[in-house]
């Protein structure tokens, strides 16, 4: 079944077209990454899926229902952490679940620990480093009960090791709970390592330039990244992106 | 010496300021007449008439921000007890025209009827004392009257609601009632107690003005007397002059009020403006006896007739 | 454009409705004119006695405008000063509160005695009324700067003055306008009150005279003038605000 | 702790200095007591006539407190309502401005006719004075939410109510407190003015009587009571603000 | 000559020690990168160098002068873009030079174009994508006349190609104007490719774990990244970081 169908989306701001006839879909339980040049419209695409604004034309279907312009259908991690400064980290991470149901504090505390933020449960966002805020925002999206998770560059502010930890953690959660994930990143390796499919968006106006289906079996181990097959994929996607910039 | 005096005189004769006690009304007609008919100019005075606003005429006169003012005997008495150096230099109306008024349908015809009624006042202790004085004459008990503070609410509004009677000046509010066709019952203070027949309003000046510029005071009173004489003789023309000077007043009310008030300026006195020491000491004594004054008033110092024209 | 036009008319429609209701109530319940005159009578009086109150009106407008300007400038200056000198702020803040609690009845004689009957004491009263909301709102706005921006400015070596001009001031503008709007709403009333200090001209005087001769219709004409004036004033400031914070409607703006 | 103590005493020191200066001026320039009594005399009168004014004082405190509470709640409620219903806001905003320009002199008789001489008309006046700064400041604060946070909340499916409770309200708190402080500063004066509507008790009554019998020292005792009261009130609200926005001093805080 | 000397810096927040006896220096015209786990104290180090707050102990010398706690000695690009929302992009990028001297608008316009932001000169920050904001913030730091530039993860939000463009551009400006650069990144390749030296910070409390002097000749070409030598360096630094997390 299709978790998400994006059908011929077009969106412009102030007469300049940002997205033009973008179409793709995500299967139930699928992990799909989006790659594309900076400013091409990835975040805008998320905003449309999340119902923040309506597309100029085209439709969005989630779980088979037409949800164009409807909010509250996805779990969302924005590109900038967007933590509320008057809430502690614990209060911030439960926000997404608070909106929909009774928040589960013990699960939240557990996740905070997993993300390496123990000791900061009761700190305020201003007391955290950039990467720590990003992890808090990440936890917040994971704690949402929604089955489609849209992550907008979730690990951009993390060092390689913390990033790898987070990636593995994300994969384990994803496998365990069979959620569908739409993932924006600028890191090609990350996209290949995590995804079932990688979608490459072209520059403004953004169209789906190409889709890659990544064949690696799961569970994947980080050693995968050193294999020749992996490097081949990396190179291919790299070349695809190169022509765009 | 001489040239200084002349210069000083020059300056004073050029301009003096008069503060009213309230907004302009027929109590002030003589002043506006003197202004309009040039009586002040004849005396070499250029008079500016000011409204007091919140600033209170007595303090302004005492502090010489204004040279002359309008006040009332009861106020001036209290002011002098507090060592405020103001002096009354002329009674504008010979007898107290105030009293307790109520709409006719309330059926209040004598102070005895106040029992069980609601009086609307402004919360001053003097009110209860006056009520009590009136009611005693009729063997009624002031504690049977409910006294309510009605603040700045006007008479007509107040009696529409919880209030049965209030203290008014007939010459303005009473006349307005006539114009409205609202019939009133009125008990004048003067009908019940001689001691309450005090002067209200009066013209005032400061002690230092009297000491330093007696000629100016003399000149001022000469012009004002002439103005009030005119108002006594020609009420209609006088009313027109006031309306002309203060066009924002209601002309109907001014005319009617003037007609009612003109004969009362002088009434039974030999001359407009004369004050009697008896009146001053009587009322002060009454106040003192009712615990409304902390000390006795030296009545002689409170007023003077010396500036009235021959 | 037409949409803006329609939106602009909404409040006008509400006002008209309100006035209509008032007129109807006056007639139905037969409310006496001396208590609450119907709008039609007020309009009539307003038109017929234009010549009577025009000089009063202009005098009040002049006074209001001057007083508000001085008051706003003073409030802003004070806020800036107290913002830049935190130790002075703490010492003077309570005095600001106290300044709003001096009853006119006490201030009036003192002001007249010190400054006479001229424009000065009246201006002082309007300034006293107007400076306060601006000063408080501006101080609060100036304090609430995004710490990230502040850190950037400080590390870039911006002087106190530069931080103020380039960061704190533009950041505080919405708060300041909030204060200015409150002040503007009070300024006309402040002018009217100041006229009770003893003036021979002004809407306040006109109103007192009308009231003392029981001309309720004229009292209401005065009120309408006061209200109209302050509304006009408010709209002007709103316009200025829209111009000066136009960036808020770009991008970051309101999608819906 | 001791530092806080020292900071708290700074304004007190300024006040004491001011009072000292006043006392000295009174003596040097021989200002008559009926015009501006020296602080020493005011203190003396304040102590000796405590029994006279205590009931007035308590009556005013009650009235102020009740009126302010109702006014603040009303202002907040109105702001929230108008914020959540933007079309109603545009229609009613001008009426808010107008409400601040109804002179008491006009309102008073109407209130008396409708509600008599009880507590209700007085409360209405205090509410009228207090609700406005709160309403304006709250509305401005509620509008100024960081669009990033707003986008997050909307996309997460937060309802209008949730956005309000979890985002807009806490975000507006500093602005709201700014309004509440302005209102608190006005509330005592509002109560005193409302007592002119007719009251048998209250600092306003005490002051009017003192003034009409030229007891300037008592007038000043009344003023000091009014000021003290509003200062106290203001401090309480400041304390509450510090508590409710304590996060602002953590981390994001002021490094210098 | 030493451009910057950081001498035994120690800094703690709320009784937890963040930096402990951190010492290093930068030569005039040198390009030094700092690597370290998320939350280790890199941004805090920048704040100390920039004089935002004083260290608990230790000193900072810039151009031989002791500047501990002094502001305005460096050009700084913060980790989050921190653009002022009421200024257009052009007005934002000239802010750093405005603070010190008369801003040069034509140079600014030129740089905006170089960064791929032409057409957005008069847009407001809210109208830009995450990566575009980051580039604007980057330009702002380059336009400052200061000779020591501290960049805190300047390219984290950029796709690989835009990132490479920016890197090359940064190098060209650096060579041309002989400025000294202190560069925080999480990307090991980026650090090696750009730097003369790489400093690795340990986790909390952060100390200088190790310094690597990168021997590659300049000018460097992106093909360098594919050489075995480069990969050897990458692996070495990778291993050094690995033990930290
Ligand atoms: N509110 C807005 N008003 C006007 N233009 C906008 C707005 N939001 C986004 N844009 C434009 O839309 C384009 C795409 O922006 P978007 O944020 O979707 O890019 P992105 O692919 O997420 O880029 P990045 O990788 O840098 O985050 C950009 O050119 C941006 O300028
Ligand atoms: N204002 C503050 N109050 C309290 N703690 C703070 C404050 N600022 C930073 N910290 C703490 O200092 C530590 C280092 O923060 P810093 O921002 O320097 O990390 P960083 O190395 O830049 O991390 P990142 O790579 O995630 O940006 C963190 O543990 C953080 O919680
Ligand atoms: O002072 C008054 O606001 O009436
Ligand atoms: Mg983006
Ligand atoms: Mg950092």
């Amino acid at each position: 079944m299709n978790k998400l169908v994006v059908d011929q989306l077009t969106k412009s701001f102030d007469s300049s077209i940002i997205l033009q006839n973008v179409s793709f879909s995500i299967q139930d339980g699928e992990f799909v990454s989006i790659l594309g040049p900076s400013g091409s419209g990835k975040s805008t695409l998320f905003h449309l899926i999340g119902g923040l604004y309506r597309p100029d034309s085209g439709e969005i279907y989630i779980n088979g229902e037409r949800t164009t312009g409807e909010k509250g259908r996805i779990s969302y991690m924005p590109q900038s952490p967007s933590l509320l400064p008057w809430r502690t980290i614990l209060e911030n991470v439960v926000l997404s679940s608070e909106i929909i149901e009774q928040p589960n504090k013990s699960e939240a505390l557990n996740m905070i620990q997993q993300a390496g933020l123990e000791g900061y449960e009761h700190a305020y966002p201003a007391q955290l480093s950039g990467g720590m805020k990003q992890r808090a925002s990440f936890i917040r999206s994971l704690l949402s009960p929604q089955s489609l998770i849209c992550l907008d560059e979730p690990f951009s502010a993390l060092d390689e090791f913390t990033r790898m930890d987070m990636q593995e953690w994300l994969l384990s959660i994803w496998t365990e709970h069979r959620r569908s994930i739409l993932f924006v990143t600028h890191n090609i390796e990350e996209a290949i390592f995590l995804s079932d499919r990688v979608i490459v968006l072209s520059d403004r106006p953004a169209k789906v330039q190409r889709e890659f289906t990544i064949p690696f079996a799961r569970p994947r181990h980080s050693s995968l990244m050193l294999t020749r097959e992996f490097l081949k994929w990396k190179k291919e996607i790299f070349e695809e992106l190169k022509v765009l910039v | 010496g001489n040239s200084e005096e002349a210069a000083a005189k020059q300056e004073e004769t050029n301009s003096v300021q008069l503060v009213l006690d309230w907004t302009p009304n027929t109590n002030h007609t003589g002043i506006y007449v003197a202004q309009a008919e040039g009586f002040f100019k004849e005396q070499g005075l250029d008079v500016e008439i000011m409204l007091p606003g919140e600033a209170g005429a007595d303090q302004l006169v005492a502090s010489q921000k204004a040279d002359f003012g309008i006040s009332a005997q009861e106020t001036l008495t209290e002011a002098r007890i507090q060592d405020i150096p103001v002096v009354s230099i002329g009674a504008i109306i010979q007898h107290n025209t105030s009293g307790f008024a109520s709409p006719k349908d309330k059926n209040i015809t004598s102070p005895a009827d106040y029992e069980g009624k609601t009086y609307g006042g402004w919360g001053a202790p003097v009110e209860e004392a006056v009520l009590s004085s009136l009611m005693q004459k009729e063997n009624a008990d002031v504690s049977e009257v409910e006294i309510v503070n009605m603040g700045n609410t006007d008479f007509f509004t107040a009696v529409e609601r919880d209030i049965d009677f209030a203290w008014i000046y007939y010459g303005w509010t009473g006349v307005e009632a006539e114009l409205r066709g609202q019939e009133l019952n009125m008990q004048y203070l003067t009908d019940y107690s001689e001691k309450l027949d005090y002067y209200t309003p009066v013209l005032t000046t400061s002690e230092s003005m009297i000491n330093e510029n007696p000629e100016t005071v003399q000149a001022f009173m000469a012009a004002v007397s002439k103005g009030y004489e005119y108002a006594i003789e020609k009420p209609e023309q006088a009313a027109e002059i006031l309306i002309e000077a203060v066009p924002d007043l209601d002309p109907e009310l001014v005319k009617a009020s003037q007609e009612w008030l003109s004969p009362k300026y002088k009434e039974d006195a030999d001359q407009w403006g004369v004050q009697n020491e008896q009146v001053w000491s009587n009322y002060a004594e009454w106040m003192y006896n009712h615990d409304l004054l902390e000390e006795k008033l030296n009545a002689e110092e409170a007023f003077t007739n010396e500036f009235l024209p021959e | 454009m037409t949409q803006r036009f329609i939106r602009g008319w909404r409040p006008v429609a509400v006002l008209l409705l309100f006035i209509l209701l008032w007129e109807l109530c006056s007639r139905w319940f037969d409310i006496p004119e001396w208590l609450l005159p119907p709008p039609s009578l007020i309009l009539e009086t307003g038109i017929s006695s234009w010549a009577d109150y025009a000089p009063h009106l202009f005098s009040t407008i002049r006074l209001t405008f001057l007083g508000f300007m001085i008051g706003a400038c003073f409030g802003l200056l004070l806020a800036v000063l107290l913002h830049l000198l935190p130790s002075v702020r703490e010492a003077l803040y309570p005095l600001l509160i106290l300044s709003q609690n001096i009853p006119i009845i006490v201030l009036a004689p003192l002001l007249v005695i010190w400054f006479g009957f001229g424009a000065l004491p009246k201006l002082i009263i309007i300034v006293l009324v107007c400076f306060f909301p601006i000063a408080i709102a501006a101080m609060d706005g100036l304090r609430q700067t995004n710490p990230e921006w502040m850190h950037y400015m400080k590390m870039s070596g911006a002087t106190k003055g530069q931080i103020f001009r380039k960061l704190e001031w533009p950041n505080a503008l919405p708060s300041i306008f909030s204060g200015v709007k409150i002040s503007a709403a009070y300024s006309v009333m402040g002018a009217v009150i100041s006229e009770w200090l003893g003036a021979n001209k002004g809407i306040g005087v006109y109103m007192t005279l009308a009231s003392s001769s029981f001309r309720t219709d004229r009292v209401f004409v005065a009120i309408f003038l006061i209200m109209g004036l302050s509304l006009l004033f408010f709209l002007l400031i709103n316009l200025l605000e829209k111009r000066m914070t136009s960036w808020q409607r770009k991008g970051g703006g309101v999608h819906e």
Side-chain angles (χ1 to χ4, degrees), chain A residues 11-14 16-19 34 36-47 53 79 152-153 184-186 201-204 206, chain C residues 250-253 255:
Chain A
K11 172 74 191 170
S12 45
F13 284 114
D14 312 326
S16 79
I17 301 176
I18 305 298
L19 298 176
I34 295 183
S38 170
S40 58
K42 303 178 294 296
S43 300
T44 303
L45 181 62
F46 273 23
H47 291 160
Y53 20 77
Q79 190 168 0
D152 199 349
E153 302 188 31
V184 167
T185 179
H186 285 310
L201 286 189
S202 68
D203 207 355
R204 263 167 290 155
Chain C
K250 291 257 175 88
H255 312 286

Side-chain angles (χ1 to χ4, degrees), chain C residues 84 153-154 156-166 168:
Chain C
L84 295 179
M153 290 300 281
K154 283 190 176 167
S156 300
T159 59
K160 262 202 153 188
Q162 285 175 326
I163 290 182
F164 177 74
R165 281 201 315 282
K166 294 175 199 294
E168 295 175 322

Side-chain angles (χ1 to χ4, degrees), chain B residues 210-263:
Chain B
I210 290 177
N211 294 332
E212 288 156 28
N213 297 306
E215 315 81 25
T216 310
V217 183
Q218 196 86 48
F220 178 79
M221 284 307 285
V224 170
S225 291
K226 217 168 153 189
Y228 277 100
E229 293 296 347
Y230 181 106
I232 292 165
E233 280 157 32
K234 307 175 192 160
E236 279 153 48
Q237 286 96 320
E240 289 302 334
I241 287 172
L242 179 59
I243 292 165
E244 175 96 359
V246 194
D248 297 320
L249 295 176
D250 183 8
E252 295 306 307
L253 176 57
V254 171
K255 282 181 209 158
S257 167
Q258 194 62 57
E259 199 185 337
W260 188 89
L261 197 58
S262 275

Side-chain angles (χ1 to χ4, degrees), chain B residues 23 51 53-54 65 172 180 248, chain C residues 34 56 113 196 198 212 218:
Chain B
T23 51
L51 310 190
E54 301 278 334
K65 282 297 147 179
W172 193 254
R180 290 182 183 205
D248 297 320
Chain C
W34 57 266
H56 290 299
I113 285 165
W196 298 347
S212 74
R218 290 197 180 179

Side-chain angles (χ1 to χ4, degrees), chain B residues 264-309:
Chain B
K264 307 243 188 268
Y265 288 137
K266 189 157 86 174
E267 193 87 76
D268 51 357
D270 304 333
Q271 185 185 4
W272 172 85
V274 214
Q275 300 169 80
N276 187 336
E277 193 191 329
Q278 205 62 22
V279 174
W280 279 90
S281 51
N282 273 350
Y283 183 61
E285 202 182 293
W286 178 88
M287 283 180 88
Y288 185 78
N289 291 338
H290 285 81
D291 280 335
L292 299 170
L293 285 189
E294 293 160 8
E295 302 162 26
K296 290 200 170 170
L297 175 77
N298 185 342
E300 270 172 61
E301 289 178 354
F303 78 98
T304 170
N305 285 323
E306 87 177 86
F307 298 106
L308 291 173

Side-chain angles (χ1 to χ4, degrees), chain A residues 88-97 108 112 136-137 139-140 143:
Chain A
T88 62
I89 295 310
L90 179 59
E91 288 164 354
N92 258 297
V93 299
V94 296
L95 181 60
S96 62
S97 47
I112 286 176
S137 174
I139 300 171
R140 184 175 61 181
L143 281 171

